[in-house]
Amino acid sequence: GGYPRLFSPWQVGHLTLPNRVVMGSMHMGLEDSHADLPRLAEFYAERARGGVGLIVTGGFAPNRLGRLSPGAGMLATRKDAEAHRVVTDAVHGEGGHILAQLLHAGRYAQSPLQVSASRTRAPISPVTAFALPTAAVRRTVRDFVRAAGWARQAGYDGVEVMASEGYLINQFLAPATNRRTDCYGGSARNRRRFLEEIVTGIRQAAGEGFVISVRLSMVDLVQDGQTLEETLDAARAVERCGADLINTGIGWHEARVPTIVTSVPRAAFATATARVKDVVDIPVSASNRITLPHTAEQILSADQADAVTMARPFLADGHWVRKAQADHEQAITPCIGCNQACLDHVFSGRTVTCLVNPRAGRETEEPYTRLGMPAMPSAGRDDGALRVAVVGGGPAGLAAAHAAAEAGHAVTLFEEQERVGGQFRLARRIPGKEEFAEALAHFRHRLEPLGVDVRTGVRADAAILTGGAGEPAFDHVVVATGVVPRELDIPGIDRPEVHAYPDVVDGTVTCGDTVAVIGAGGIGVDVAELLTTPADHPHGAFQEHADWEREWGVDPDFGGRGGLAPRTAPAVPRTVHLLQRSPGRIGARLGATTGWVHRGTLKARGVVQHSGVRYLRIDDAGLHIEVTRTVGRLRKRTEVSRKVLAVTDVVVCAGQESEASLAVRLRAAGMPEERIHVVGGALKAGEIDAKRAIDEAVRAVARI
Ligand code: NAP
Ligand code: SF4
């Protein structure tokens, strides 16, 4: 096969695993109630069926104070252990192996009562944590050991001790959060005593035949984090204490360096893992921004790690491993690192799913049960198949065509443009969003093997669809005709220096040296980033690691504490003004886990932000605006001022309007309502995004 290292067996403790892929810990939002565990079990079972050798669960707390939020899942009682049987049985039934992750949240607990190594407050938390007294530290060690015992009772093959990402154990390891004066603080030796006692305790209680993985922070990315030497010593120590595997953790949750979003280069942190691998004999697994088999194979063949840990790619495609093994890299639905349906859901208390695979995490829910597992290329279709037309080849249309073809229907996809892709074709041109191109390539290349009849450059009118044009009528029509950019009614809007965003994004128009962007939603922010990125400068997945490290202040040698270095302001090709009518800060409605990265980028690039704007006119002098600001200590008075932005270009990113006129024409032509399925932006343009569009598309198809 094409990935010899990835598919070579390896040993983790007593387990012999068939491939070097670990499915890393993800919080699915199904961990908290015992009643949800059967759903979680089916989610894991499907991934085990898909060939993944070792699965790590989301974090379970060893005691009440360790819970991520009140009511979060624990492994602390016999009842917990019994409830987890359904999970371990399901995974073992498919020939897989599974570790329970033990996570004590420490000062990241979303609770008024938090504990930590010392009395400190996390910048992302509203409350100050209490310092655990020495006796309570010892009790916590015992709770970890007991939790591992319950995990064993539940049938888990082992546990993973969460010692990274800024959770409690990491809070003990780093001087930033550990100012203790007892035997658990002070020297690096003392700071890691808590972790050592946990690993030793679990090993002593469990004996052999039970895997202990430690998710170790390779680099903290916070001020006063650990030094590289301390990290290496911690790795040596956990090996001595009986760990079988070291898994990679990168950066604390409060770190101001992005570590997993799509603008982070591929395998950006594998070099950190490689340093740890050099000093221990137990296997070490790399993680972060590894999404496709060729990246994984590269890491393994460069000897940077013994295995790779991926989490989100298993939301995007449960059969990642089997497809990679069959050399069908392009059949893998790639994770695009958007966080929109996974981590952003975690932070807003919703269960996790996936933008490109809305069935993830809902395998047992209607109507997703009616959709098969995204299958390997096949064109199995029987003669009695329904004729389904999908109109529009954007994300919604592509997803609908796939789902319908996989369900065995005879599918025709109509796209008015010469190429399919819709808004994804634009998104992939945004610096840092190059992965949309991979997702698009995946969807496009799968159409032919699935037997979809693709007709590009064709406007599907009601006559073709209802059988009036010499072709048999379609049984169902999915209207995925998407959106059109909103046009504004401002004096001067027809001037040549005013552009609709698609023309700027696809390169039809090149802007001058001062640009005003009207509208600061997802697209306005993307366009501002595009306009402030030097042309021909690879970004995102393919950016040079060194460039990216300079931009975000990461020390390539991990020399100082926390692995941080001074940030270097990037070269910016032009001045950009970003405007919105609403008051308040720009980008406030961007995703919880991605918005801060975008806001940080805009700031670093010197993008001038204007809120509370009224657009007056555009003329030779530029864009005339009126700005309303709240002033005074109580922000109760408003102050109105007028100004002219002397810009060379104006780009309109003022949202979208639905394009669904086809549905009206189909109804007029007599097509019954239940055979017309309007989805995505065509259904509702407000706040449309690919997540909603794809989900609506596959649900509509499941109901056909
Ligand atoms: P959007 O997020 O709805 O933003 C539209 C912007 O235009 C807002 O800033 C709005 O702000 C402004 N606007 C609306 N009506 C206007 C009018 N009549 N005159 C002037 N300004 C007006 O839409 P979008 O930026 O087009 O993005 C579309 C969707 O794509 C988004 O919902 C987003 O979810 C998705 N997307 C997501 C990402 C991501 O990174 N997750 C990136 C790109 C796109 P004011 O009303 O305050 O002026
Ligand atoms: Fe990846 Fe986005 Fe899916 Fe999350 S929602 S798994 S980031 S594609």
Side-chain angles (χ1 to χ4, degrees):
Y3 312 106
R5 299 293 290 258
L6 199 54
F7 290 99
S8 58
W10 61 311
Q11 197 73 28
V12 178
H14 67 292
L15 301 178
T16 306
L17 301 171
N19 56 62
R20 310 250 171 169
V21 183
V22 178
M23 175 172 147
S25 177
M26 273 184 283
H27 192 77
M28 294 295 295
L30 298 172
E31 290 81 359
D32 301 349
S33 152
H34 287 173
D36 286 333
L37 291 178
R39 246 175 96 187
L40 189 62
E42 185 45 35
F43 170 75
Y44 292 140
E46 189 155 303
R47 273 79 197 154
R49 254 195 309 281
V52 66
L54 184 64
I55 294 173
V56 185
T57 66
F60 290 96
N63 59 29
R64 296 171 73 84
L65 281 171
R67 293 176 301 180
L68 276 165
S69 59
M74 297 199 279
L75 262 171
T77 62
R78 177 174 309 281
K79 244 177 135 175
D80 291 331
E82 281 164 7
H84 276 253
R85 263 281 163 200
V86 62
V87 172
T88 56
D89 284 347
V91 171
H92 293 148
E94 300 293 346
H97 299 283
I98 185 162
L99 309 182
Q101 191 186 69
L102 304 180
L103 180 155
H104 190 304
R107 64 178 200 163
Y108 283 165
Q110 288 163 19
S111 156
L113 181 59
Q114 298 178 352
V115 297
S116 183
S118 298
R119 192 175 156 70
T120 60
R121 185 179 70 79
I124 53 173
S125 170
V127 296
T128 300
F130 292 97
L132 278 171
T134 308
V137 178
R138 300 215 164 95
R139 254 196 323 273
T140 308
V141 172
R142 287 197 296 274
D143 289 339
F144 266 97
V145 175
R146 261 198 291 269
W150 292 125
R152 186 163 210 179
Q153 291 262 318
Y156 285 103
D157 300 287
V159 289
E160 175 166 280
V161 176
M162 178 45 142
S164 68
E165 265 51 26
Y167 291 114
L168 182 69
I169 298 175
N170 210 171
Q171 290 158 28
F172 271 82
L173 289 169
T177 37
N178 185 341
R179 300 171 200 147
R180 302 178 71 92
T181 50
D182 63 1
C183 64
Y184 294 103
S187 66
R189 170 98 231 278
N190 280 356
R191 280 184 270 119
R192 65 172 186 266
R193 187 183 306 277
F194 180 50
L195 171 61
E196 288 182 15
E197 287 183 1
I198 289 169
V199 177
T200 306
I202 295 175
R203 180 52 77 214
Q204 277 171 358
E208 297 307 309
F210 188 71
V211 169
I212 303 175
S213 165
V214 176
R215 176 107 176 256
L216 200 64
S217 181
M218 302 287 156
V219 51
D220 292 334
L221 300 175
V222 292
Q223 293 293 330
D224 267 333
Q226 300 169 88
T227 62
L228 178 64
E229 265 323 305
E230 289 173 0
T231 301
L232 300 181
D233 285 342
R236 294 182 186 104
V238 297
E239 176 172 38
R240 241 185 354 257
C241 297
D244 302 302
L245 172 67
I246 293 178
N247 206 348
T248 292
I250 301 288
W252 292 25
H253 285 313
E254 69 202 58
R256 293 290 92 180
V257 178
T259 55
I260 57 168
V261 298
T262 187
S263 58
V264 177
R266 288 275 164 77
F269 300 99
T271 45
T273 304
R275 305 293 273 269
V276 169
K277 180 180 152 51
D278 279 348
V279 302
V280 292
D281 291 325
I282 52 174
V284 180
S285 192
S287 81
N288 286 54
R289 297 294 290 133
I290 305 165
T291 53
L292 287 173
H294 65 261
T295 315
E297 185 70 18
Q298 260 163 25
I299 291 172
L300 298 176
S301 43
D303 258 336
Q304 289 176 308
D306 301 286
V308 291
T309 300
M310 295 177 291
R312 295 172 300 168
F314 287 102
L315 287 172
D317 196 332
H319 278 201
W320 192 104
V321 173
R322 288 215 189 292
K323 291 176 182 175
Q325 191 157 23
D327 268 343
H328 285 305
E329 176 160 293
Q330 224 154 33
I332 294 174
T333 311
C335 163
I336 52 177
C338 67
N339 287 355
Q340 279 172 252
C342 51
L343 281 163
D344 285 348
H345 277 210
V346 172
F347 284 91
S348 54
R350 288 173 288 172
T351 56
V352 162
T353 177
C354 176
L355 179 141
V356 293
N357 175 22
R359 189 168 169 267
R362 301 157 169 175
E363 286 79 4
T364 57
E365 249 180 64
E366 281 293 322
Y368 304 98
T369 43
R370 287 187 242 164
L371 296 165
M373 187 62 209
M376 301 291 280
S378 76
R381 154 196 328 164
D382 56 59
D383 292 338
L386 290 171
R387 277 172 57 79
V388 175
V390 177
V391 185
L398 287 168
H402 271 237
E406 275 168 359
H409 303 307
V411 182
T412 307
L413 174 66
F414 295 92
E415 165 60 49
E416 196 176 356
Q417 308 279 315
E418 288 304 321
R419 310 200 65 170
V420 296
Q423 298 286 323
F424 265 27
R425 281 175 61 76
L426 294 177
R428 71 193 169 134
R429 302 186 71 110
I430 302 296
K433 292 200 169 171
E434 291 75 6
E435 266 159 18
F436 280 79
E438 271 166 10
L440 185 52
H442 157 77
F443 280 115
R444 204 174 49 221
H445 283 99
R446 296 263 294 130
L447 292 171
E448 198 196 304
L450 282 168
V452 176
D453 175 10
V454 183
R455 303 197 197 161
T456 51
V458 176
R459 196 179 162 88
D461 58 23
I464 302 186
L465 299 169
T466 55
E471 264 198 80
F474 285 92
D475 299 306
H476 288 266
V477 179
V478 179
V479 179
T481 40
V483 292
V484 287
R486 175 178 287 125
E487 286 180 10
L488 298 186
D489 187 18
I490 304 171
I493 198 80
D494 294 329
R495 293 171 63 93
E497 72 270 26
V498 182
H499 320 292
Y501 74 86
D503 293 338
V504 173
V505 175
D506 74 11
T508 311
V509 162
T510 307
C511 291
D513 62 11
T514 318
V515 182
V517 176
I518 294 186
I523 291 177
V525 168
D526 276 355
V527 167
E529 288 188 25
L530 171 73
L531 290 171
T532 50
T533 304
D536 305 323
H537 190 73
H539 258 77
F542 311 110
Q543 189 175 10
E544 291 290 333
H545 287 191
D547 274 357
W548 180 86
E549 285 159 357
R550 268 194 299 277
E551 194 167 333
W552 284 99
V554 177
D555 179 350
D557 301 318
F558 312 109
R561 282 212 171 273
L564 297 177
R567 285 180 75 166
T568 318
V572 174
R574 57 174 67 80
T575 304
V576 171
H577 296 265
L578 183 57
L579 304 97
Q580 67 178 19
R581 299 172 307 171
S582 327
R585 75 175 170 166
I586 285 206
R589 284 180 26 237
L590 297 175
T593 60
T594 50
W596 66 271
V597 184
H598 291 296
R599 289 190 293 271
T601 303
L602 296 177
K603 196 168 161 216
R605 307 247 179 111
V607 171
V608 191
Q609 308 182 14
H610 310 259
S611 300
V613 169
R614 197 158 74 85
Y615 306 105
L616 302 176
R617 66 179 182 282
I618 304 159
D619 61 20
D620 287 342
L623 173 64
H624 297 249
I625 56 173
E626 186 180 271
V627 182
T628 305
R629 291 192 314 135
T630 52
V631 289
R633 262 195 35 236
L634 298 172
R635 305 230 159 261
K636 279 199 168 152
R637 278 186 308 119
T638 55
E639 199 178 80
V640 180
S641 59
R642 291 198 166 194
K643 52 180 131 176
V644 188
L645 305 178
V647 294
T648 52
D649 302 81
V650 175
V651 185
V652 179
C653 306
Q656 325 286 337
E657 276 160 10
S658 292
E659 170 47 60
S661 54
L662 176 64
V664 178
R665 294 197 301 277
L666 286 172
R667 286 180 202 117
M671 189 161 214
E673 193 61 39
E674 66 276 11
R675 297 182 169 222
I676 307 171
H677 312 269
V678 186
V679 300
L683 180 65
K684 188 165 163 269
E687 307 211 355
I688 182 59
D689 60 17
K691 178 178 79 170
R692 205 190 85 208
I694 292 175
D695 187 36
E696 282 172 8
V698 302
R699 278 191 291 125
V701 167
R703 284 190 297 262
I704 288 180

